[in-house]
């Protein structure tokens, strides 16, 4: 298992990942957009002013670079002091033994200050390699929620639609509220590489990604029903592109070639600044036979490198505690548009009275934690590629597509568990 994962993670620039060996240096690796990086750097600078004997460095990478660099760096005896990463990676990283157990580094008062929505931000995780249960990450934000962003000039929708999502389905959007403009190329666009969207649809039919034994569930009756509904919608006129990535989908929406886009709330202001009038709705049921989706919920949070000295681990936990204060959390979420998980920040009026956060909270409360095991990650990858193939190949039946996805997922899991 470890050998397979390391082969997957082999980067071209491993030696660039080494961090300072100074016992009084704390380095943070994170994936931040420029505005969020600037803010977090300001917060770190404020903390550094209170700890003048220490050096603090914030380094940002793409999410994929972090996945590839971090494990090998730690195994090689280096890497960052603190990793700010996704909850979906903790299972795999714990199996590689590159995360420090945190339960003894933070006091109980701090850990009790987090809210427990659909995702427990301080939940211990069982290491599938050792069988031990530890807290490997302190999660401070929920990050992965996507919504339908719609162009109000192309779609007419009742004012209360966001408050009554059960009245709607994607087919209903298409049949009732779409303005059939000649300039529209597609009814709905999204990043086809994002399996989270497909899981939204699957969960609406009661489907699961994996069962309690980490076995894929991609050929269940619910999965076949979802594929059948998607095929039915496209045959009845729902116009989807055959291929679509993030850049393509956002470009089509910005240029008003598509009135609906599935994307994150953080994109709303950007589109509004481009002159679009944006409405927001939860991703509704796929069709008349579907219930409301129960989306995956994941977050980002802090982990600590196990190769650090005891002094560094103590300072790293102190910095994490500082970055999770109410003041710093509220500053962050105003830029990231993610949901804060410290109770005092979540209950602040600036969050509770903000419509974007109300939409986010409403959807999260109906969600379920996204699993972080290697099996779930592989199954999600197969889900994404399989559904893209199904959308392209109209001769592929829902039953056959589901069987092929299940077989592929099982084969990939067998390979990593040999």
């Amino acid at each position: 298992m470890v050998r397979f994962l390391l082969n997957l993670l082999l980067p071209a620039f491993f030696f660039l990942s080494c961090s300072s060996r100074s016992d009084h240096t704390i380095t943070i690796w994170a994936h931040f957009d420029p505005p969020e990086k600037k803010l977090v750097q300001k917060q770190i600078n404020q903390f550094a002013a209170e700890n003048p004997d220490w050096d603090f460095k914030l380094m940002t990478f793409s999410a994929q670079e972090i996945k590839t660099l971090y494990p090998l760096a730690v195994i090689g005896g280096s890497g960052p002091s603190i990793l700010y990463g996704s909850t979906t990676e903790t299972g795999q990283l714990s199996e590689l033994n590159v995360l420090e157990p945190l339960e003894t580094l933070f006091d109980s008062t701090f850990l009790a200050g987090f809210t427990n929505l659909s995702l427990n931000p301080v939940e211990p995780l069982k290491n599938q390699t050792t069988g031990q249960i530890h807290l490997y990450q302190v999660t401070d934000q929920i990050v992965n929620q996507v919504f339908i962003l719609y162009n109000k000039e192309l779609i007419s929708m009742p004012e209360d639609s966001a408050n009554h999502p059960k009245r709607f389905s994607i087919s209903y959007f298409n049949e009732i509220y779409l303005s059939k403009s000649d300039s529209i190329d597609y009814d709905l666009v999204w990043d086809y590489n994002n399996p989270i969207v497909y899981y939204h649809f699957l969960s609406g039919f009661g489907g699961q990604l994996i069962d309690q034994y980490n076995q894929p569930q991609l050929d269940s009756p619910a999965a076949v029903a979802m594929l059948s509904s998607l095929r039915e919608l496209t045959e009845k006129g729902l116009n989807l592109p055959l291929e679509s990535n993030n850049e393509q989908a956002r470009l089509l929406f910005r240029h008003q070639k598509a009135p609906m886009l599935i994307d994150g709330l953080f994109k709303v202001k950007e589109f509004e600044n481009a002159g679009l009038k944006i409405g927001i709705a939860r991703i509704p049921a796929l069709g008349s036979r579907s219930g409301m989706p129960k989306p995956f919920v994941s977050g980002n949070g802090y982990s600590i490198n196990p190769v650090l000295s005891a002094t560094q681990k103590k300072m790293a936990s102190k910095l994490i505690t500082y970055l999770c204060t109410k003041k710093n959390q509220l500053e962050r979420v105003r830029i990231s548009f993610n949901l804060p998980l410290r109770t005092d920040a979540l209950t602040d009026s600036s969050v509770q009275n903000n419509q974007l956060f109300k939409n986010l909270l409403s959807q999260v409360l109906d969600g379920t934690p996204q699993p972080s095991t290697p099996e779930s990650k592989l199954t999600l990858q197969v889900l994404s590629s399989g559904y893209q193939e199904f959308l392209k190949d109209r001769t592929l039946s829902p039953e056959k597509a589901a069987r092929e996805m299940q077989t592929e997922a099982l084969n990939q899991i067998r390979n990593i568990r040999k």
Side-chain angles (χ1 to χ4, degrees):
M1 172 65 179
V2 171
R3 179 181 298 175
F4 173 80
L5 292 175
L6 291 180
N7 287 336
L8 284 179
L9 297 169
L10 183 63
F13 45 95
F14 165 69
F15 289 106
L16 295 178
S17 68
C18 297
S19 297
S20 170
R21 304 294 294 179
S22 169
D23 195 49
H24 276 67
T25 294
I26 297 295
T27 305
I28 305 98
W29 284 6
H31 171 56
F32 289 139
D33 290 332
E36 192 169 8
K37 178 184 178 181
K38 181 179 179 181
L39 173 61
V40 174
Q41 184 65 67
K42 184 199 78 171
Q43 295 174 351
I44 292 173
N45 292 344
Q46 292 168 345
F47 182 80
E50 300 173 3
N51 298 274
D53 295 334
W54 286 77
D55 293 323
F56 299 89
K57 300 177 182 178
L58 172 62
M59 302 175 66
T60 54
F61 301 88
S62 71
Q64 186 58 45
E65 286 170 343
I66 287 178
K67 290 178 187 179
T68 59
L69 284 173
Y70 179 79
L72 286 179
V74 176
I75 291 171
S78 62
S81 313
I82 297 171
L83 173 68
Y84 188 73
S86 172
T87 57
T88 64
E89 300 297 323
T90 54
Q92 182 166 300
L93 292 177
S94 71
E95 289 196 31
L96 292 172
N97 295 316
V98 294
L99 299 177
E100 174 72 14
L102 303 179
E103 54 266 22
T104 62
L105 292 175
F106 295 94
D107 63 46
S108 58
T109 301
F110 172 74
L111 296 178
F114 288 86
T115 189
N116 187 354
L117 300 174
S118 300
L119 175 72
N120 184 347
V122 290
E123 182 175 18
L125 180 70
K126 183 177 181 179
N127 186 317
Q128 296 298 321
T129 301
T130 66
Q132 297 179 337
I133 298 174
H134 291 294
L135 175 63
Y136 291 107
Q137 185 183 63
V138 172
T139 308
D140 71 330
Q141 291 189 0
I142 286 177
V143 299
N144 75 324
Q145 294 303 297
V146 291
F147 290 76
I148 285 186
L149 312 184
Y150 63 92
N151 187 325
K152 289 185 175 181
E153 295 181 337
L154 298 176
I155 289 181
S156 174
M157 192 182 300
E159 291 296 323
D160 65 349
S161 62
N163 297 322
H164 297 86
K166 291 184 179 180
R167 293 174 52 191
F168 300 98
S169 68
I170 286 178
S171 60
Y172 198 52
F173 274 120
N174 185 49
E175 296 168 4
I176 305 299
Y177 295 117
L178 192 59
S179 172
K180 299 295 184 181
S181 169
D182 292 337
S183 66
I184 293 175
D185 291 337
Y186 303 105
D187 295 337
L188 172 65
V189 291
W190 72 85
D191 176 13
Y192 284 2
N193 298 313
N194 184 357
I196 298 301
V197 176
Y198 302 109
Y199 182 77
H200 268 78
F201 299 153
L202 177 62
S203 67
F205 287 86
Q208 293 180 293
L209 180 72
I210 57 175
D211 63 16
Q212 66 269 36
Y213 305 107
N214 277 328
Q215 293 300 297
Q217 301 294 298
L218 301 185
D219 63 346
S220 66
V224 173
M226 193 282 283
L227 289 167
S228 299
S229 183
L230 185 60
R231 174 62 54 76
E232 181 180 332
L233 288 176
T234 57
E235 289 178 346
K236 287 186 175 181
L238 184 69
N239 195 6
L240 304 175
L242 293 181
E243 295 184 1
S244 181
N245 58 30
N246 247 338
E247 182 179 353
Q248 293 168 334
R250 290 167 179 172
L251 195 63
L252 286 167
F253 184 72
R254 179 190 292 271
H255 290 175
Q256 302 191 61
K257 297 296 183 180
M260 295 185 290
L261 167 70
I262 298 178
D263 209 332
L265 297 180
F266 67 96
K267 296 297 294 185
V268 171
K269 186 165 289 295
E270 178 182 323
F271 290 129
E272 289 178 339
N273 290 340
L276 302 182
K277 295 181 179 179
I278 302 298
I280 302 167
R282 287 180 54 175
I283 297 181
L286 187 60
S288 59
R289 298 188 303 277
S290 170
M292 288 300 296
K294 295 177 174 58
F296 272 151
V297 179
S298 70
N300 280 342
Y302 300 95
S303 298
I304 292 179
N305 188 334
V307 306
L308 300 184
S309 68
T311 302
Q312 285 177 304
K313 290 175 184 177
K314 183 176 180 180
M315 180 54 69
S317 64
K318 185 177 177 181
L319 174 57
I320 292 170
T321 300
Y322 176 79
L323 293 175
C324 288
T325 61
K326 176 182 178 179
K327 173 180 176 294
N328 287 331
Q329 280 240 303
L330 290 177
E331 284 185 339
R332 284 263 317 280
V333 300
R334 291 180 190 124
I335 291 178
S336 68
F337 294 103
N338 296 323
L339 198 65
L341 288 175
R342 290 291 292 178
T343 301
D344 53 5
L346 181 64
T347 56
D348 187 80
S349 60
S350 65
V351 173
Q352 293 295 315
N353 297 332
N354 184 301
Q355 189 58 50
L356 287 180
F357 288 118
K358 287 181 179 179
N359 291 339
L360 182 55
L361 182 58
S362 172
Q363 182 159 291
V364 164
L365 290 174
D366 286 338
T368 184
Q370 183 173 339
S372 64
T373 62
E375 289 88 349
S376 67
K377 292 173 66 63
L378 285 176
T379 305
L380 271 176
Q381 292 170 8
V382 173
L383 181 70
S384 177
S385 59
Y387 278 43
Q388 289 181 65
E389 181 63 26
F390 179 74
L391 287 170
K392 291 179 184 178
D393 187 355
R394 291 183 177 272
T395 67
L396 189 61
S397 72
E399 292 79 8
K400 184 178 180 181
R403 286 196 304 270
E404 290 181 350
M405 282 190 282
Q406 179 75 2
T407 300
E408 177 63 21
L410 287 171
N411 287 338
Q412 292 199 26
I413 290 171
R414 290 190 191 102
N415 286 335
I416 69 169
R417 293 302 184 187
K418 285 181 178 179

